[in-house]
Amino acid sequence: MSGQEASFDLLVIGGGINGCGIARDAAARGLRVGLVEQADLCHGTSRWSSRLIHGGLRYLEHQEFRLVRESLRERETLLWTAPHLVHPLPLLVPLYQGARRGRWLIRAGLTVYDLLSLRKSLPPHRLLSSADALRLAPGLKPEGLAGAGYYFDAQAVFPERLVVENAVAAARSGAEILTRHRVERILVRERRVQGVECLDLRGQRRVRLAAAAVVNAAGPWVDRVLAGLDRDPPDMLGGSKGTHIVLPRFPGAPLFACYAEARSDGRPYFIIPWQGLLLVGTTDIRYRGDPDDASADPAEIDYLLAETRALFPAARLGREDILFHYTGVRPLPAGDGEDMGEVSRRHWLRHHGREARGLYSVIGGKLTTYRSLAEEVVDRVCSRLRGARRPCMTRRLPLPGANRDLLDVAAELAAYPDLPATARPRLLGLYGARAIELARLIETEPRLGHCIDERSGLLAAELLFATDTEFAGSLADLLLRRCMVGLGPDLGRSALPGSLQVAGEFLGWDQERQERERADYLAEIGRLRSGLPDVPAVQWRQSISANSSRPRPGR
Ligand SMILES: Cc1cc2nc3c(=O)[nH]c(=O)nc-3n(C[C@H](O)[C@H](O)[C@H](O)COP(=O)(O)OP(=O)(O)OC[C@H]3O[C@@H](n4cnc5c(N)ncnc54)[C@H](O)[C@@H]3O)c2cc1C
C-alpha cells in the first residue's frame, strides 16, 4: 500500500552528520527539503567516531595538505558556530626513544600543522621535557620517555548533539525530517531521478516521495541504497571498521588527550579524556559486512587494552576495567589495499549522470568537514535546479544552541526559580542557548524540573523537549542520542526507572510500551558490553566510583 506523496526540491537519504548538514544548508538557501532516515538521527557512523574535530596530524604523513587545511578551517568554524558542543582539546604526543616517528619528525609535523592553522584561534605547538610530560600524564611509562609534543585540536563530546542541532536548524528552515523511514528504492524515469520509495517502519506503509534531486548520504550504506538502480553502479565503498573502548579514569591517567604510537604496529592511536572517562581508539580493519552488524572483535579489544597498558603500565588495566566499547564503519572509497590507514579520509561527491541524473552519492568524509561537504553538495544541487537561491550561509551561521552568547544565557537561566541551579551547567553544555526553551517548559509545569537520575542530573523536562522538538521517538533515542545519559559509566541504567515514569505520565506510554522500550534499550546497550565479563550491577557501580582506590591483587 502506498501512502500519499510529498514533493521536494531535494531529498536527502541518511540522518548522520553529512545528511543533516546537507539538509540544514539546503533548507537555509530556500530549497524545499526532505530528509529520510531509516532509524534515528545519528544512528550510524557519526556516533561511533573518536569525537575529534581535528585537522588530522596523521594525514600529513600521506601529504594530504588540502584535507588538513580544509579540516583546520572547519575546526575553527565549528569552534565559533557551535561553542557549546565543540571545545578546544589539548593533546600530548609522547616521544619515546626508538619510536618509528622520531622527535624531529613529530616536530616537523607539528610545525607544518601550525603553518596550515595560521590565523586560527588555537595556540601553536610546544615541545615539552619528559618531566613536564609526566606532570600532565603522571602514569606515562617513564622509561625511554624523551619528552612530548603538545598541541591543540578540538573535541565534540557528543557528535550526536551536533547532528541533532543540524536537523533542528534544517526543520526551522522548513525541512521535513522523517525518521524510521527506510529508503527501499530510488525512483528513476528516463534516466532522471524522480524521488524515492520508502517504508515507514512504524506504520509498515510504503511512502513515495518525489524530488527533483536526491542525495544519498547513507554513510557506509551508500552502496546498499543504490542496489536497486536499473543500471547498478559499481560498488563505491570499501569500508573499514574502527573500535573504541571506554575506561574509567585510572590513577595516573592523562589530564590531556594522548596521541601515541602503538608499540605493536606503529599505528597512531588516541587516549582521550571524555566526560570524566577515557576513550581509547581506534582500530582500522577492512570490513565488507552489513554496517549494522559491525562489532568489536576480541582481538581489537585486546589490542587497545594492551597498548594502553604499555603506555600506562602502573594502571594494570584488565578487561574487567572496560566500561563499554563501540564500533563504527568508515564509509571509505573502494580500494584493493589491505592497509586501511593509507586510504584518504577526504570526501568525494559522485553524480550518477548515466543511471539517474539528479542523483548524487557522498563517499568518505570526516565528521570535522561535514559543513564544507554540505556546502559543496548543495552548490552542485543548486546549479542543477532552476530558480534563484540564497548563497551558503553556514560558515558564519551559528547552530541553534549557539545563537546567543552563552554567558548571557547562563545569567538568564538563573532567573528561572524552578530550574535547579545544579542542572544549569549540564543544560548549557548540551543545549547551549536552547536551555532557555527548557527553562520555559519547566516554568509551565514545575514538576518537569525534577531530577530523575541523580547520577547524571537528567531532568524530566529533557525527555519532553527531545520528543517535541528533536524528533526523538524511543527510549534509546532519548537517552543515547538526545539527553546523552546513556553513554555514561552505567550506560544509562540508573536513568531507566525515572525516564519510564516520566514517559508514562507525560508522553502517554502505557505499561506495554514502557516494557517494550525498556527491553529494546537494554538490548541496544547490551551490544556495547558484548564479550566483556559480567559484573553485577552493585559491584559495577562501586568499581566506577572507587576505581582509583580499588586494590588490584595479583594482576
Ligand atoms: C572508528 C571511527 C572513528 C572516527 N573518528 C573521527 C574523528 O575523530 N573525527 C572525524 O572528523 N571523523 C571521524 N570519523 C569519520 C566520521 O565519523 C564519518 O566519516 C562520518 O560520521 C560519516 O557520516 P555520514 O553522515 O556520512 O554517515 P552515518 O553517520 O553513518 O549516517 C548515515 C545514515 O544513513 C542512514 N541510512 C542508511 N541506509 C538508509 C536507508 N536505506 N534509508 C534511510 N536511511 C538510511 C543510516 O541509518 C545512518 O544514520 C571516524 C569514523 C570511524 C568509523
Side-chain angles (χ1 to χ4, degrees), residues 13-19 36-40 42-46 48-54 181-183 217-221 225 240 242-244 282 328-331 364-368:
I13 305 172
I17 191 69
N18 286 327
V36 190
E37 161 57 49
Q38 65 179 353
D40 180 30
C42 205
H43 198 263
T45 303
S46 301
W48 303 136
S49 68
S50 302
R51 299 163 186 268
L52 294 175
I53 301 298
H54 63 156
H181 278 65
R182 188 173 60 222
V183 170
W221 290 266
V225 165
S240 112
T243 289
H244 290 84
T282 173
V329 179
R330 300 175 181 86
K366 299 169 61 185
L367 187 64
T368 308

Side-chain angles (χ1 to χ4, degrees), residues 8 23-24 27-28 31-35 167-177:
F8 302 101
R24 174 198 181 210
L31 268 60
R32 286 174 303 135
V33 178
L35 181 142
V168 168
R172 284 184 179 179
S173 300
E176 188 157 338
I177 309 289

Side-chain angles (χ1 to χ4, degrees), residues 261-505:
E261 181 178 285
R263 196 191 39 165
S264 57
D265 58 5
R267 288 186 58 251
Y269 73 103
F270 293 102
I271 301 179
I272 308 169
W274 178 55
Q275 45 155 2
L277 308 171
L278 292 169
L279 181 63
V280 181
T282 173
T283 54
D284 199 354
I285 300 169
R286 182 172 283 292
Y287 183 78
R288 295 192 170 87
D290 185 335
D292 268 328
D293 299 335
S295 60
D297 298 328
E300 291 180 271
I301 293 179
D302 290 344
Y303 168 87
L304 294 171
L305 202 53
E307 292 301 338
T308 315
R309 212 164 28 214
L311 202 59
F312 292 92
R316 289 185 286 154
L317 295 163
R319 262 180 173 251
E320 62 282 18
D321 291 302
I322 299 176
L323 296 172
F324 59 95
H325 53 75
Y326 63 73
T327 301
V329 179
R330 300 175 181 86
L332 300 180
D336 298 329
E338 278 305 312
D339 184 354
M340 302 308 291
E342 301 266 313
V343 183
S344 174
R345 266 46 173 172
R346 58 174 281 241
H347 60 256
W348 283 264
L349 179 63
R350 161 107 188 252
H351 179 226
H352 301 278
R354 286 201 311 161
E355 303 91 0
R357 286 194 300 281
L359 170 65
Y360 301 84
S361 290
V362 171
I363 300 137
K366 299 169 61 185
L367 187 64
T368 308
T369 49
Y370 86 87
R371 193 213 60 82
S372 51
L373 177 150
E375 178 175 350
E376 184 186 328
V377 170
V378 181
D379 281 349
R380 287 277 293 276
V381 169
C382 284
S383 71
R384 281 197 73 79
L385 300 176
R386 293 205 195 99
R389 311 283 175 205
R390 289 191 281 272
C392 175
M393 292 178 284
T394 53
R395 195 173 286 185
R396 288 195 187 78
L397 195 66
L399 281 162
N403 64 7
R404 285 184 55 195
D405 187 309
L406 293 183
L407 288 177
D408 291 346
V409 177
E412 194 177 325
L413 283 181
Y416 285 87
D418 294 318
L419 179 70
T422 47
R424 285 182 220 144
R426 176 168 183 281
L427 298 186
L428 271 176
L430 280 180
Y431 309 102
R434 298 182 70 224
I436 296 289
E437 294 172 44
L438 270 159
R440 288 195 191 122
L441 188 60
I442 293 168
E443 204 176 31
T444 61
E445 172 50 273
R447 280 186 307 153
L448 292 174
H450 287 165
C451 171
I452 54 173
D453 174 38
E454 288 299 329
R455 177 188 283 283
S456 63
L458 176 68
L459 301 185
E462 293 178 67
L463 305 183
L464 265 75
F465 183 67
T467 307
D468 291 348
T469 71
E470 297 189 331
F471 321 100
S474 75
L475 186 63
D477 298 356
L478 291 168
L479 301 189
L480 288 164
R481 293 175 287 274
R482 300 297 186 286
C483 311
M484 304 318 309
V485 302
L487 293 184
D490 75 339
L491 290 167
R493 284 166 198 271
S494 59
L496 287 181
S499 302
L500 288 170
Q501 199 182 330
V502 170
E505 194 172 345

Side-chain angles (χ1 to χ4, degrees), residues 193-222:
V193 76
Q194 304 293 313
V196 302
E197 183 176 286
C198 44
L199 182 64
D200 169 354
L201 297 167
R202 283 256 154 96
Q204 293 301 318
R205 290 181 325 137
R206 292 204 175 280
V207 183
R208 280 175 166 239
L209 303 170
V214 173
V215 174
N216 172 11
W221 290 266
V222 156

